[in-house]
Amino acid sequence: MNADLFNFVAGLADDRLVLGHRLSEWCGHAPILEEDIALANIALDLIGQAQNFLKLAGDIEGAGRNEDQLAYFRDPAQFLNLQLVEQPNGDFAFTIARQAIFDCWSVYLLEALSSSSHQELAALCVRAAKEDRYHWKHSSTWVQRLGDGTAESHQRMQSAFDALWSFTPELFQATAAQQKLVAAGLIPNLSSLESQWRKAMNELLEMATLKVPTVGAAAGRPARSQHTAHLAPMLSEMQGLARAFPGAAW
Amino acid sequence: MSKTEATLNGDSQWPLWEVFVQGPEGEPHSHAGSLHAPDAALALQNARDVYSRRGGVSSIWVVPAKDIIASSSAENGLMFEPMDSKVYRHAQFYKVPRGVKNL
């Protein structure tokens, strides 16, 4: 049971660590200064959440690994993030679409987990949900403006959602391990997440004059155990310093 | 608020907004700085991200810079100089009579 809970909490952490790192790649490159700061703020929120979840995961595991060891000294195959969040930034529309898909899902997930019987996990989720509600407000604001903006911004926003939609089934793939945690009462039943997320995304896309993409039957792969080719290069950049100078402090 | 006011200015920037931030509730909103944003909703979000990230903020106002009517520095002599010679408008001008306990 501990291993299942470790994997679940580490998955929450890795989603945020990887997405936070991707967003941090915008620093100094965003379309305008104000958005540069907004994306950096969101990145820092997510990395802070990842730090908390990884620390908790380390405590649950009980093998003496702290958040830094988990973040910097696991290899790509041991990362448990969604494929969605490891996708490269693309253009601004692509980053915003990736963010909106994630934020909407994350708010519902964290709100559900806020009633976990695992008190520490619940407390971290209450705090993180507050941050993610603002992230969702920001990303959905942009989806509306770009979708319902110029012909070019509309087309870019639509292509971004079309390209990313095939990564969305993984959000809702319930694993056997997850079912065990539900049965043990450690996490609430997450089966209503998909319909909540679909409803909110449909409303947003409609307001933004965008079409809801369709996606074929979900591939039968186990959730979170496989990655696209984009994760490894990102991690080697992220982990480079910690591995070259173990224990480096500043 | 209108959905999109994303008209470009001559300097190819979005419209300029002035940001006023209130610390603790009850304090006056003070001018914090300015920013560019395509519309009011994003101006407010940008203001939140740029000017409240270190905490301690309870309210933000954003105002389109073009709607602020400012005095002209060329008129400073006319507008403000006469005030400099009116010391009696300062409380310090008045001496407290000896023996007054509750003033």
Side-chain angles (χ1 to χ4, degrees), chain A residues 39-61:
Chain A
L39 291 177
N41 277 349
I42 297 172
L44 285 169
D45 283 351
L46 291 172
I47 292 167
Q49 292 174 14
Q51 190 178 9
N52 291 333
F53 284 128
L54 279 180
K55 190 175 178 311
L56 177 60
D59 292 345
I60 290 166
E61 184 186 45

Side-chain angles (χ1 to χ4, degrees), chain A residues 31-35 37-42 44-45 131 134 137-139 141-142 144-145 148, chain B residues 1-4 13-14 34-42 44-50 53:
Chain A
I32 56 159
L33 176 66
E34 288 82 351
E35 190 57 29
I37 296 171
L39 291 177
N41 277 349
I42 297 172
L44 285 169
D45 283 351
E131 293 175 339
Y134 182 78
K137 184 181 169 80
H138 190 74
S139 56
T141 301
W142 269 119
Q144 282 177 57
R145 277 155 184 74
D148 193 13
Chain B
M1 93 196 37
S2 76
K3 199 172 55 179
T4 168
Q13 289 269 28
W14 285 327
S34 55
L35 50 76
H36 291 97
D39 56 42
L42 271 165
L44 210 48
Q45 289 188 24
N46 289 346
R48 179 260 193 196
D49 285 324
V50 177
R53 55 202 299 271

Side-chain angles (χ1 to χ4, degrees), chain A residues 1 6 18 25-26 36 53 57 62 71 76 115 125 139 154-156 164 182 194 203 214 228 231 244-245 247 249:
Chain A
M1 190 57 64
F6 170 84
V18 170
E25 293 170 354
W26 275 105
D36 205 285
F53 284 128
S115 63
C125 290
S139 56
H154 176 88
Q155 179 265 319
R156 283 179 184 243
L164 285 165
V182 174
E194 182 165 3
E203 280 169 12
T214 47
T228 58
L231 180 65
F245 303 97

Side-chain angles (χ1 to χ4, degrees), chain A residues 86-178:
Chain A
E86 69 199 33
Q87 299 311 304
N89 288 335
D91 60 12
F92 184 65
F94 193 88
T95 291
I96 287 297
R98 185 186 63 196
Q99 196 64 33
I101 290 169
F102 178 84
D103 290 340
C104 180
W105 170 75
S106 180
V107 168
Y108 289 125
L109 175 67
L110 294 173
E111 282 176 353
L113 291 174
S114 297
S115 63
S116 165
S117 63
H118 192 292
Q119 288 190 351
E120 254 178 285
L121 176 62
L124 290 183
C125 290
V126 169
R127 228 165 73 192
K130 217 176 259 181
E131 293 175 339
D132 285 18
R133 274 193 285 272
Y134 182 78
H135 303 168
W136 166 236
K137 184 181 169 80
H138 190 74
S139 56
S140 60
T141 301
W142 269 119
V143 169
Q144 282 177 57
R145 277 155 184 74
L146 295 176
D148 193 13
T150 65
E152 184 180 0
S153 72
H154 176 88
Q155 179 265 319
R156 283 179 184 243
M157 205 67 245
Q158 186 66 60
S159 319
F161 277 110
D162 290 347
L164 285 165
W165 215 248
S166 61
F167 293 106
T168 58
E170 193 181 5
L171 305 180
F172 309 107
Q173 215 146 325
T175 60
Q178 200 173 305

